[in-house]
Structure formats: structure tokens, C-alpha cells
Amino acid sequence: MRPEKDSVPTTDNRLRTTDYGLRTTSSTDLLRSVPDLPDHEARRLLETATGRSWTDLLLGVEVAAEEIEVFRALVERRRSGEPLQYIEGSVPFGPIEVAVDPRVLVPRPETEQLYEIAEAVVEDPLVIVDLCTGSGNLAIALKHRFPTATVYATDISSDAVDLARENARDAGLDVTILLGDLFEPLPGNLRGRVDLIVSNPPYLAAAEVADLPVDVRDHEPTMALVAGPVGDEVLARIAEAAPDWLRPGGVVVCEISEFHGSVVAGHFASLRGDIQRDLSGKERFVIGAAPQ
Ligand SMILES: C[S@@+](CC[C@H](N)C(=O)[O-])C[C@H]1O[C@@H](n2cnc3c(N)ncnc32)[C@H](O)[C@@H]1O
């Protein structure tokens, strides 16, 4: 006997029942069913739920009942403010892709610009250090770019270190990821030998957290965002210690708060710290170099 058709709510006539009793709907109708989400977010959630390409989904392919359920669940997660990238599970970063989840900050476009500055500013580095590595994005991308370099990364969060190690392993790249405070876990014999130090450290003031978008404030690790009462505390410590670790002529590149350009330039004065702007024109990076 043919299975009973249509136990589907009649309020949504876009839902259909197949000959096998499964509800399906077309991808284009599904996308239209979540008008509260931006189009690109709905599309990315449907891509995640179905594993189909955007081209397929644009054509209005039929989506099976189980995939619709997954899509609905992903939509609810997004509606609750969870970052899209946590839901998707990974994010492209420069030449690589890294897994992200609530253990780490989602890498931002500004930090991809930091990667581009860093890889252009040195030639054939032998030793690279990434402080505050989070998902490992900068360290792993730089190892990809400079495969013969020895790359170290540190983070004070053991959760972040675990995920960064997974990301390095999945990328098939040999990066030494160490747990601890800034330079503290690095082997002492690296002092005076590092060609390139990069860092996207926490740089928000504690009071700024209340004003962050809900995605960031309620979902990303506070430890990744807040440096202290003022916001420049971690950068000040990096500036103080970096001259000890850089080789003569070695370079340090860090991401900074758009509000701290002049104060951070002051911290990096002994390395002739120069402030550069991001693509939206905000003071966003400090670049310094050890004397030759
Ligand atoms: C802004 S997130 C950057 C993550 C990643 N590098 C990126 O660009 O997306 C800062 C990271 O610094 C770590 N962190 C905070 N204080 C630290 C410290 N004193 N030493 C090492 N890591 C620290 C946090 O755990 C977090 O993973």
C-alpha cells in the first residue's frame, strides 16, 4: 500500500510529501522561509545542512526531511546569536582553513590583513613566533607560506592550544604550539634568534565588553578579547619583551585597537613602532623592527 500522503501542516504549502512519505521542500522556498536572517547567512546554513553547493541550492533542488530538520536547528542556533562560523565549524584564513568553536576567537578579516603584512615584511624567515595563537590561524598560515621556517605559537588557554594543535595536524603542518603566558613557554635558546613575531592579542578594555554585539559578547571567549582595564596591557608586555627575542633586524607585527594607535606606538618606540591602517581606514597594526 502507498504510504499516507500529507500529514504536513497546511499552513506551509511549500512542504511536500514524497511517494515514500518523506516531506521535502525546494531549497529556494526554504531560504525564503527565514526572512529574519540575511540572505547570505541563510544560504550558508543551508549549505552546511545539506552539503550541497550554492549553485545547486539556487536551482531549487528538493531538500529531504532530515536535512530540513538540520537546517531548522542551525537557524535556531544562529537566531540565538551563535557566530555563523562556529555553526559552520571552520573558516578560511589566508591560504588555509581552520576549525573554530567556542574555545577560540573566530579569525577576523583584519587578522588576514595582519597575515598579509607579516608574510610580505620578511624574506625567508628561519624562526617565527605567534603569540596568543587561538585557533592557530596565523602560525599555521605562516608555516604554510614559509615551509622551511620553524614556527612556534603560544596561548594561555589550554582549550585554544588543543584546537590549534588539531588545526596544525589537520593541515599537515609542523607547528610547535605551547601552553603559557606570551613568551614564557618558548625555549630559552630562541632569545635573539626570532626573525618574525606576530600577534593578535586581546586588546579590549574590560568596560568595552558590555557594548559588544551579542555574537561576540555571549559566545566568544572573554579571555581572547579583554586585556585589562585599559586594553593595551598585553601589547605593552609584548613590546617590552620582544627586543629580547628578535634577531638584529627581526620584525614584530601586531594587531591593535583602533583607539590605541599612538599609545601602542609609544610602547614599541624602542623598535621604531609604526602604525598602519586596516582596509576600513582604522589604525589597526603596529610594525616594529629590532636594530641591525
Ligand atoms: C584575540 S584572540 C586571537 C586568536 C587568533 N590569534 C586570531 O587571530 O584569531 C587572543 C588569544 O590570546 C590568548 N591569550 C590571552 N592572554 C594571553 C597571554 N597572556 N599569553 C598567551 N595567550 C594569551 C587567548 O586565549 C586568545 O586565544
Side-chain angles (χ1 to χ4, degrees):
M1 200 179 81
R2 256 168 100 89
E4 189 76 20
K5 269 200 167 192
D6 242 323
S7 55
V8 174
T10 50
T11 48
D12 188 350
N13 60 10
R14 291 170 303 213
L15 293 176
R16 286 184 283 280
T17 304
T18 66
D19 283 353
Y20 303 100
L22 291 173
R23 283 177 294 157
T24 72
T25 192
S26 91
S27 52
T28 44
D29 285 346
L30 262 181
L31 290 170
R32 276 196 289 271
S33 74
V34 286
D36 54 319
L37 292 187
D39 286 351
H40 76 99
E41 292 199 3
R43 167 178 65 78
R44 283 166 58 175
L45 293 176
L46 193 54
E47 283 175 322
T48 303
T50 62
R52 306 277 191 101
S53 71
W54 174 227
T55 324
D56 275 355
L57 298 175
L58 255 187
L59 292 173
V61 290
E62 291 294 307
V63 178
E66 314 80 63
E67 292 171 334
I68 296 172
E69 251 175 61
V70 174
F71 175 65
R72 296 279 179 224
L74 299 186
V75 166
E76 284 315 309
R77 285 171 64 185
R78 184 64 194 125
R79 281 179 176 148
S80 79
E82 188 171 343
L84 190 59
Q85 295 86 348
Y86 287 166
I87 298 172
E88 292 177 320
S90 69
V91 61
F93 185 83
I96 59 164
E97 177 103 11
V98 285
V100 288
D101 66 27
R103 291 177 285 179
V104 296
L105 191 91
V106 174
R108 304 294 204 267
E110 292 87 339
T111 313
E112 279 196 283
Q113 200 183 336
L114 170 63
Y115 162 75
E116 284 163 16
I117 294 170
E119 63 102 12
V121 88
V122 289
E123 228 174 276
D124 300 328
L126 295 177
V127 181
I128 299 173
V129 169
D130 172 24
L131 306 168
C132 305
T133 199
S135 61
N137 50 321
L138 280 166
I140 299 166
L142 286 165
K143 178 66 181 177
H144 183 278
R145 170 69 183 81
F146 299 111
T148 58
T150 303
V151 181
Y152 291 88
T154 72
D155 201 289
I156 205 160
S157 150
S158 58
D159 278 347
V161 165
D162 287 346
L163 184 53
R165 286 178 179 157
E166 287 165 32
N167 278 328
R169 189 197 58 220
D170 291 350
L173 293 169
D174 182 14
V175 177
T176 302
I177 297 158
L178 303 167
L179 175 64
D181 180 24
L182 297 182
F183 295 90
E184 176 269 325
L186 295 174
N189 65 3
L190 286 187
R191 283 177 194 274
R193 290 182 41 217
V194 179
D195 298 273
L196 174 65
I197 296 170
V198 293
S199 184
N200 174 22
Y203 55 69
L204 297 186
E208 287 179 87
V209 172
D211 297 329
L212 292 172
V214 92
D215 320 28
V216 182
R217 191 192 61 215
D218 294 352
H219 293 271
E220 296 194 273
T222 308
M223 192 196 289
L225 299 164
V226 175
V230 179
D232 67 341
E233 290 85 347
V234 179
L235 280 153
R237 292 178 55 218
I238 293 173
E240 193 186 346
D244 214 24
W245 294 87
L246 289 172
R247 70 157 171 77
V251 177
V252 54
V253 190
C254 300
E255 191 170 317
I256 67 169
S257 159
E258 65 195 89
F259 306 116
H260 293 160
S262 56
V263 74
V264 170
H267 293 323
F268 282 83
S270 71
L271 297 169
R272 289 167 288 127
D274 179 42
I275 302 300
Q276 292 202 7
R277 292 176 188 271
D278 63 22
L279 296 173
S280 57
K282 295 175 177 155
E283 292 190 332
R284 183 63 68 198
F285 311 104
V286 62
I287 305 178
Q292 284 290 350

